[in-house]
Structure formats: structure tokens, C-alpha cells
């Protein structure tokens, strides 16, 4: 992913790969420091460069281990993993030489989280990343002496790789288009004569309205939803008169269903 990238579908963030380039130097359940765990060591395009990495979802820093440049984060809401499952994500990043995250810090999806480094027990510049599904923050040694989460999920089962260049590594690297969502429809009841719509790049406030829909005239209107914006408060629809636009739906009488009502 790139800095500032966001992906929200049906009101749920997709869990994005936090790196622009992925060169896996040690994968899941390999020998020595990854034995029995689903961790991956990731370096960037050029060996030795301390590349930045970004928040794969909106998250909160819940633990910090400064001696190893290590921070634990947890998603603020449930996310969509690349295997199609939806749940909370808890993840750990390790080896940041100049760790700036502090317990309680909040990050939006796409914000800078840290940089690859060598702090702690590391061979060469990289980021050790480990991901689990759920809100369990247990961090314990397994029988091989390696730290791990309960409910770990593998890197390629967790992350979407839409804007990540895979340089080295074997896996099922999926993009958001590979995980199809059930079609959803926005239904506007016929009790309303004016429902504002907005350009996709405009804030959904009254003065920015590009026009109005009139559900009463057509005894109700139904539109397929193509996505959500503004933290889920607006839906993207395609209309006859205004083309693709967004419409405010939060705390309204609009109904979302799996088939059109009107």
C-alpha cells in the first residue's frame, strides 16, 4: 500500500498490506526464530533501506516494547481479511530503530506507522510482522521459544495486496477484487421528495449538493451500492441524471437490502 491509501467496502475496511514492496526474507513457520509462528520478515526493494510502512486499517497502539522497536496495534473496528473473514485484527511490528508509536496513539488507515530497522534481535534491515484475528492481546512464547499470538493468521490470508509489489515470496497474494461482496441495494422510501446527492470528491454538506433525487415521484427508488465513503456515512450509487455520485445514508430512513425494494 502507499501512504494515505484507504479501502472501505460495505462499511468495512479491507486489511491492506502495510508495505509498498514485499521481499520476504523469512516466512511463516520457517526454522529458528519463526518456528511454530505465522510471522513474516519483510524488507523493501533495496536491501538495507529503512522503508516506511503504513497502517493496514484504522487502529490503536496498545503495547510498546522499546528495547526491540516493537509495537502492538489493534483495529478500531472489525476489518475484512483477504480470506474473506471479518473480525478484529491485532498485529505486531518489530525492529523499528526510531519507534514513535506510544500506547494509546490512534492511526487512520494509510497513516505512517513506522520504518523497517534492526533494533532488537534482527539480521539486516526489515520489519517482522505478525497478525492475529480477534481482540486477544496475549503475547507468549511457544514451545520453540518464539513469541506469538493466539489465533494467528498468515500474512497472505490477512492482507490485500492491491498496491504492493511482490518482489520475493510465495503465497496466495489476493487483491480486493478477488474477494467479491454480495450486492447491496440502497432503497429510498416514497415519503421523501428531495434527497441530496454529492460529487464523490465533495463533503456531504448541504451547500455541496449537486442535485436531488425524488423518491415520491417514482414511488420509491432503489440503487445498487458500489461502495462507501466518509467513514461509511455515504454510499456510492449510479443515477440516471447525475451519474456516479454519493448520497448521505447515516441516521436516515434509507434501507439497505440484498435486493431492490422499489
Amino acid at each position: 500500500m502507499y501512504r494515505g491509501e484507504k479501502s472501505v467496502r460495505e462499511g468495512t475496511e479491507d486489511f491492506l498490506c502495510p508495505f509498498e514492496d514485499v521481499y520476504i526474507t523469512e516466512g511463516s513457520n520457517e526454522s529458528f526464530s519463526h518456528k511454530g509462528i505465522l510471522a513474516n520478515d519483510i524488507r523493501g526493494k533495496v536491501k538495507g533501506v529503512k522503508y516506511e510502512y503504513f497502517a493496514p486499517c484504522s487502529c490503536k497502539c496498545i503495547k510498546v516494547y522499546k528495547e526491540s522497536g516493537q509495537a502492538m496495534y489493534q483495529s478500531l473496528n472489525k476489518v475484512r481479511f483477504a480470506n474473506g473473514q471479518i473480525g478484529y485484527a491485532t498485529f505486531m511490528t518489530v525492529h523499528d530503530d526510531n519507534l514513535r508509536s506510544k500506547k494509546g496513539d490512534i492511526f487512520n488507515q494509510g497513516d505512517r506507522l513506522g520504518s523497517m530497522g534492526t533494533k532488537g534481535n534482527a539480521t539486516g534491515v526489515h520489519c517482522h510482522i505478525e497478525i492475529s484475528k480477534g481482540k486477544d492481546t496475549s503475547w507468549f512464547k511457544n514451545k520453540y521459544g518464539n513469541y506469538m499470538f493466539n489465533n494467528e493468521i498468515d500474512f497472505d490470508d490477512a492482507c490485500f495486496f492491491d498496491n504492493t509489489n511482490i518482489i520475493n515470496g510465495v503465497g496466495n497474494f489476493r487483491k480486493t477484487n478477488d474477494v467479491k461482496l454480495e450486492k447491496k441495494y440502497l432503497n429510498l422510501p416514497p415519503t421523501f421528495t428531495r434527497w441530496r446527492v454529492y460529487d464523490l470528491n465533495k463533503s456531504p454538506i448541504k451547500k455541496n449538493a449537486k442535485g436531488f433525487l425524488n423518491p415520491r415521484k417514482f414511488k420509491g427508488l432503489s440503487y445498487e451500492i458500489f461502495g462507501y465513503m466518509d467513514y461509511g456515512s455515504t454510499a456510492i450509487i449510479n443515477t440516471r441524471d447525475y451519474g456516479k455520485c454519493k448520497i448521505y445514508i447515516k441516521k436516515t430512513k434509507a434501507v439497505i437490502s440484498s435486493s431492490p425494494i422499489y
Side-chain angles (χ1 to χ4, degrees):
M1 70 184 295
Y2 53 82
R3 185 195 286 259
E5 184 179 354
K6 300 182 188 302
S7 181
V8 183
R9 294 182 294 165
E10 293 190 351
T12 299
E13 288 183 341
D14 294 307
F15 193 81
L16 303 178
C17 174
F19 310 102
E20 291 187 56
D21 299 291
V22 165
Y23 189 113
I24 299 177
T25 58
E26 187 174 357
S28 299
N29 200 26
E30 292 192 7
S31 57
F32 306 114
S33 63
H34 287 197
K35 189 69 174 174
I37 63 176
L38 297 183
N40 282 261
D41 287 348
I42 310 294
R43 75 162 174 85
K45 187 174 183 179
V46 178
K47 186 177 180 180
V49 176
K50 297 178 180 179
Y51 292 99
E52 293 181 336
Y53 50 87
F54 311 103
C57 62
S58 298
C59 57
K60 181 178 182 179
C61 180
I62 52 178
K63 291 183 182 180
V64 170
Y65 306 85
K66 290 186 177 180
E67 64 278 4
S68 53
Q70 185 170 347
M72 184 186 294
Y73 304 91
Q74 191 166 92
S75 62
L76 298 181
N77 301 291
K78 290 182 178 180
V79 300
R80 181 180 296 101
F81 296 105
N83 63 7
Q85 296 178 351
I86 292 178
Y88 284 91
T90 304
F91 61 99
M92 185 79 79
T93 60
V94 192
H95 305 312
D96 190 338
D97 292 315
N98 298 293
L99 183 66
R100 292 187 240 171
S101 294
K102 303 183 297 297
K103 183 178 179 180
D105 284 351
I106 301 291
F107 300 88
N108 292 318
Q109 189 178 44
D111 287 350
R112 179 192 179 278
L113 276 190
S115 297
M116 299 176 184
T118 58
K119 195 155 191 178
N121 184 20
T123 302
V125 172
H126 69 276
C127 176
H128 173 109
I129 185 166
E130 214 158 329
I131 307 162
S132 77
K133 180 185 174 185
K135 302 181 80 170
D136 186 347
T137 61
S138 301
W139 185 243
F140 60 94
K141 279 187 177 181
N142 65 12
K143 62 182 180 180
Y144 303 107
N146 297 321
Y147 279 98
M148 64 178 294
F149 287 111
N150 284 315
N151 306 314
E152 288 197 337
I153 182 171
D154 214 346
F155 188 49
D156 60 344
D157 276 334
C159 300
F160 289 98
F161 294 83
D162 287 38
N163 291 296
T164 296
N165 180 31
I166 307 297
I167 301 171
N168 182 70
V170 177
N172 182 15
F173 300 114
R174 284 160 284 203
K175 297 185 178 183
T176 51
N177 283 342
D178 295 324
V179 178
K180 302 298 182 183
L181 306 183
E182 180 187 1
K183 282 187 178 181
K184 295 291 185 180
Y185 293 86
L186 180 69
N187 303 282
L188 307 179
T191 50
F192 290 85
T193 57
R194 288 163 62 90
W195 207 301
R196 295 178 182 86
V197 294
Y198 305 87
D199 282 326
L200 298 181
N201 61 350
K202 296 289 187 180
S203 297
I205 55 178
K206 288 182 179 180
K207 68 177 183 179
N208 290 337
K210 69 180 296 183
F212 299 88
L213 302 176
N214 186 347
R216 182 179 293 175
K217 180 179 178 180
F218 300 97
K219 298 181 180 181
L221 290 169
S222 295
Y223 297 95
E224 182 180 346
I225 296 174
F226 294 95
Y228 297 87
M229 298 182 71
D230 306 300
Y231 302 99
S233 64
T234 61
I236 301 171
I237 59 175
N238 193 23
T239 67
R240 183 192 65 184
D241 295 333
Y242 305 107
K244 190 164 280 191
C245 56
K246 64 183 181 182
I247 183 168
Y248 195 79
I249 60 172
K250 191 174 182 180
K251 294 182 180 179
T252 69
K253 302 229 180 249
V255 175
I256 296 175
S257 61
S258 57
S259 59
I261 295 176
Y262 304 110

